[in-house]
Amino acid sequence: MKQEFELIAKTFMGLEPVLAKELTQLGANNVQIGRRMVSFTGDKELMYRANFQLHTAIRILKPISHFKAKSADDVYNEVKKIDWTKYISLDNTFSVDSVVFSEEFRHSKFVSYKVKDAIVDLFRETTGKRPNISVTNPDLRLNMHIAEDLCTLSLDSSGESLHRRGYRQESVEAPLNEVLAAGMILMTGWQGETDFIDPMCGSGTLPIEAALIARNMAPGLFRKEFAFEKWADFDKDLFDSIYNDDSQEREFNHKIYGYDIDIKAVNTARLNVKAAGLTGDIVINEADFKTFTMPAEKSIMVTNPPYGERISTPDLLGTYKMIGERLKHQFVNNDAWILSYREECFDQIGLKPSVKIPLFNGSLECEFRKYQIFDGKLKDFRGDGGIVKTEEEKKQMAERKFKKEREFKKRNDNNYENSSNNEDNDIRSFKFHHRDLDSILNRDRKRTGGEREKKNFDRERNETGRDRKRSNRPNRDWNGKDRDRDVKSRGGHERFDRSGKKFDKGKRDLGRKSKKYDDED
């Protein structure tokens, strides 16, 4: 019988119920929702799968000790009681990351030093030697969490935050975090049944995450490594079987469209889409939301417009008014989901949302709102059998209560997390492009020597063709060792080896590491 043990999946505030649902579908037991985390039990295979397959987890921890401590000496003594020879040898390196919420322990780095000292001193006393510390690339990553006097020491099985999928080649200023983007899409309930549109796509995060969800592809496909691969009990054959298992992937017979007014963002998004091997599913084009027209196919829209929080956005309220006007007249009989921060921005949309979900975007308490666009009055829509809120959406709103007297004010970053290096804070710095639309249009008119031709969304969609047949996509085969596989079942998408390079015919080189990915933000 396989041995089950305690595990913790960390996530962002507001995504806990989505992550819990993912874990339940993955086969986890004893799933319990906490604050920015979900605890569960499972075996080694489930731990591997959680790292590889979950869309909304940022880290998977394996607790090895729970204890109470009222002082730094208590922490030192308790850590020293652990048999560390089961986890680390003198030839290995390790690092310690700490998160503290306590009156007694106010500095996370000080706690990390005490844990490190306890481990090093134990080895010195028993062997006369000590293992070394490596901050950048340790063999073993430890995580210490302290809430008042309750301490949990865990092995970090993920390594780099799981939001760093591995497909992002370049970025724009303030890119949307991959985990947050995936969580937003999963909240809508969309699984690839219709076309998907993001009219302000930036670097393409929402379209790429939508494609992964539509095809039920594991986000970990693009990762070069996970921390558990360096553990002494790592089961390579087991993880290879998980990596090579594409039996749950599915066909996607619709299209995903991403648009942006900034050509630099468009080029970046195209590069990232190509890196993910999803050019057959995703179309990225330069276009202004002002010219958005009714899509030919049934569609869902999910987007994250600028908030004007860090960098002033010209006519921010006018932008949201334009969004509402486009939705009302050019998106009838479809659903639109918008993530934003300011109440006055939502007011300018001028449409009544059917769903409002509080969701943290970094330290900003935002709202994720659903707009069900229909022709005529709400009473007539309901009379014709239209459903404003599904049972799942009612449950979502009940699970995520708003604060009373909510003012959409910026959260105190110091209280949000004691350490700025923790992954709960690493979504982004939230800087937005300063885009003067009039100056951009005037500049382009001068370049062309006349009136700039407006982008027509329908024309761009038609130019890509509506042929959804998978047989037209080329299949790539390769033969090699380790994680060799036939790509045909993946629809011909180009894949990357664990070093971040494209697969050509031949072998996967799992040993090399790409500096580009090591330096990735």
Side-chain angles (χ1 to χ4, degrees):
M1 184 176 179
K2 295 181 179 179
Q3 180 184 5
E4 289 205 349
F5 43 82
E6 179 187 4
L7 290 162
I8 294 172
K10 300 186 71 177
T11 190
F12 297 120
M13 184 74 78
L15 296 184
E16 299 93 341
V18 183
L19 176 56
K21 183 176 180 180
E22 276 200 282
L23 282 165
T24 301
Q25 293 172 341
L26 202 61
N29 296 319
N30 303 310
V31 177
Q32 294 186 349
I33 294 175
R35 186 171 181 265
R36 296 202 299 275
M37 55 81 74
V38 178
S39 63
F40 61 104
T41 58
D43 57 16
K44 184 183 292 186
E45 179 180 352
L46 185 68
M47 183 183 71
Y48 291 176
R49 288 191 178 277
N51 276 282
F52 186 64
Q53 294 177 222
L54 291 176
H55 294 268
T56 56
I58 55 178
R59 197 168 297 281
I60 307 297
L61 303 177
K62 179 183 178 182
I64 57 174
S65 180
H66 297 276
F67 55 87
K68 287 188 175 183
K70 294 184 178 180
S71 68
D73 288 339
D74 290 346
V75 172
Y76 178 89
N77 292 329
E78 291 294 332
V79 172
K80 210 172 178 182
K81 292 178 182 178
I82 299 171
D83 181 6
W84 286 103
T85 58
K86 294 194 300 185
Y87 310 109
I88 190 172
S89 70
L90 289 171
D91 296 328
N92 296 140
T93 58
F94 72 97
S95 67
V96 184
D97 178 48
S98 298
V99 179
V100 295
F101 300 93
S102 173
E103 289 297 320
E104 178 64 33
F105 305 98
R106 301 196 176 194
H107 299 286
S108 58
K109 287 187 178 180
F110 176 70
V111 173
S112 296
Y113 289 144
K114 296 304 291 186
V115 174
K116 182 265 296 181
D117 289 344
I119 298 172
V120 168
D121 290 349
L122 177 65
F123 274 93
R124 273 203 186 111
E125 293 169 7
T126 56
T127 68
K129 297 180 180 180
R130 53 156 288 179
N132 291 321
I133 304 295
S134 175
V135 177
T136 57
N137 190 29
D139 296 313
L140 185 72
R141 295 174 184 263
L142 301 173
N143 181 280
M144 171 64 87
H145 185 278
I146 300 181
E148 296 306 331
D149 63 343
L150 300 177
C151 305
T152 301
L153 184 59
S154 306
L155 305 181
D156 179 354
S157 69
S158 302
E160 270 197 325
S161 176
L162 295 176
H163 84 270
R164 291 170 177 158
R165 311 290 202 212
Y167 60 70
R168 189 183 292 280
Q169 302 296 294
E170 290 186 10
S171 184
V172 296
E173 195 175 12
L176 186 66
N177 179 278
E178 292 84 345
V179 164
L180 180 60
M184 290 164 57
I185 297 165
L186 290 173
M187 282 181 181
T188 71
W190 183 82
Q191 295 287 323
E193 307 88 346
T194 66
D195 283 0
F196 181 101
I197 300 172
D198 179 5
M200 297 179 170
C201 70
S203 61
T205 307
L206 276 167
I208 293 173
E209 292 297 321
L212 296 180
I213 290 170
R215 289 197 169 279
N216 201 28
M217 292 170 60
L221 275 171
F222 312 101
R223 292 265 296 200
K224 62 179 180 180
E225 66 178 358
F226 297 91
F228 62 74
E229 294 183 75
K230 294 184 178 181
W231 291 5
D233 65 346
F234 173 56
D235 190 333
K236 181 179 179 298
D237 292 336
L238 174 60
F239 184 54
D240 282 352
S241 67
I242 293 171
Y243 187 92
N244 291 327
D245 180 14
D246 61 356
S247 61
Q248 298 303 309
E249 292 184 13
R250 54 181 175 245
E251 289 291 310
F252 175 55
N253 298 314
H254 296 276
K255 281 287 184 180
I256 295 170
Y257 298 96
Y259 302 99
D260 203 282
I261 194 173
D262 186 348
I263 188 60
K264 290 183 179 179
V266 169
N267 290 334
T268 297
R270 286 172 175 167
L271 186 63
N272 293 334
V273 169
K274 185 177 180 181
L278 295 168
T279 53
D281 297 325
I282 303 173
V283 177
I284 304 291
N285 276 316
E286 180 188 6
D288 190 339
F289 201 167
K290 290 179 181 179
T291 64
F292 181 81
T293 56
M294 188 74 181
E297 304 287 337
K298 181 72 175 175
S299 304
I300 185 173
M301 182 184 293
V302 182
T303 192
N304 176 43
Y307 311 156
E309 181 61 22
R310 293 293 178 90
I311 294 179
S312 61
T313 302
D315 195 17
L316 181 67
L317 298 183
T319 297
Y320 280 82
K321 185 175 182 180
M322 174 272 295
I323 291 173
E325 185 272 333
R326 288 288 89 187
L327 293 179
K328 182 177 180 180
H329 298 290
Q330 298 294 336
F331 208 58
V332 179
N333 298 323
N334 292 301
D335 295 340
W337 290 77
I338 297 175
L339 179 71
S340 193
Y341 169 60
R342 297 178 180 276
E343 182 66 46
E344 57 266 32
C345 291
F346 280 121
D347 290 343
Q348 290 300 313
I349 292 176
L351 300 171
K352 185 176 180 180
S354 57
V355 175
K356 295 193 293 185
I357 301 174
L359 186 62
F360 273 92
N361 194 338
S363 61
L364 298 176
E365 187 176 3
C366 299
E367 282 187 7
F368 191 39
R369 296 188 178 186
K370 176 186 178 182
Y371 295 91
Q372 198 166 11
I373 315 299
F374 52 86
D375 195 10
K377 296 182 179 180
L378 177 60
K379 182 179 179 180
D380 297 333
F381 176 75
R382 283 176 167 160
D384 293 336
I387 300 174
V388 178
K389 285 189 190 75
T390 65
E391 291 302 316
E392 180 65 24
E393 289 167 349
K394 290 178 182 178
K395 183 180 177 182
Q396 283 182 346
M397 291 188 69
E399 288 173 340
R400 302 170 178 88
K401 297 293 185 181
F402 286 97
K403 295 178 181 178
K404 292 183 179 180
E405 307 295 330
R406 194 158 170 272
E407 298 179 357
F408 282 85
K409 287 187 178 178
K410 194 186 231 183
R411 201 161 180 239
N412 187 334
D413 288 329
N414 293 329
N415 293 332
Y416 184 69
E417 195 71 90
N418 287 354
S419 171
S420 61
N421 293 325
N422 287 313
E423 60 270 11
D424 299 276
N425 271 343
D426 69 2
I427 292 184
R428 65 182 71 73
S429 62
F430 285 97
K431 294 182 179 179
F432 292 90
H433 287 296
H434 182 97
R435 296 174 182 169
D436 188 333
L437 302 186
D438 292 333
S439 65
I440 291 173
L441 291 173
N442 290 332
R443 178 198 64 195
D444 290 337
R445 290 189 186 106
K446 290 178 182 178
R447 286 180 179 174
T448 57
E451 182 70 17
R452 184 187 184 193
E453 180 182 359
K454 288 186 178 180
K455 296 291 183 180
N456 184 292
F457 280 72
D458 280 340
R459 175 175 59 79
E460 288 171 349
R461 295 188 189 108
N462 293 335
E463 284 176 354
T464 63
R466 306 294 296 183
D467 185 1
R468 316 296 181 118
K469 294 181 181 179
R470 308 293 299 173
S471 59
N472 291 341
R473 298 178 185 174
N475 291 320
R476 298 174 64 87
D477 300 321
W478 64 85
N479 295 306
K481 298 179 181 179
D482 295 322
R483 299 188 178 91
D484 298 340
R485 58 185 301 174
D486 185 348
V487 186
K488 289 184 179 180
S489 58
R490 289 197 182 277
H493 297 305
E494 292 182 352
R495 292 293 162 219
F496 290 76
D497 64 17
R498 305 299 290 287
S499 67
K501 293 184 178 181
K502 284 186 183 178
F503 277 127
D504 291 320
K505 293 180 180 179
K507 300 180 180 180
R508 300 188 182 209
D509 179 4
L510 302 183
R512 298 181 185 176
K513 294 179 181 178
S514 169
K515 187 176 186 298
K516 177 187 290 185
Y517 282 78
D518 290 336
D519 294 340
E520 198 174 47
D521 290 333

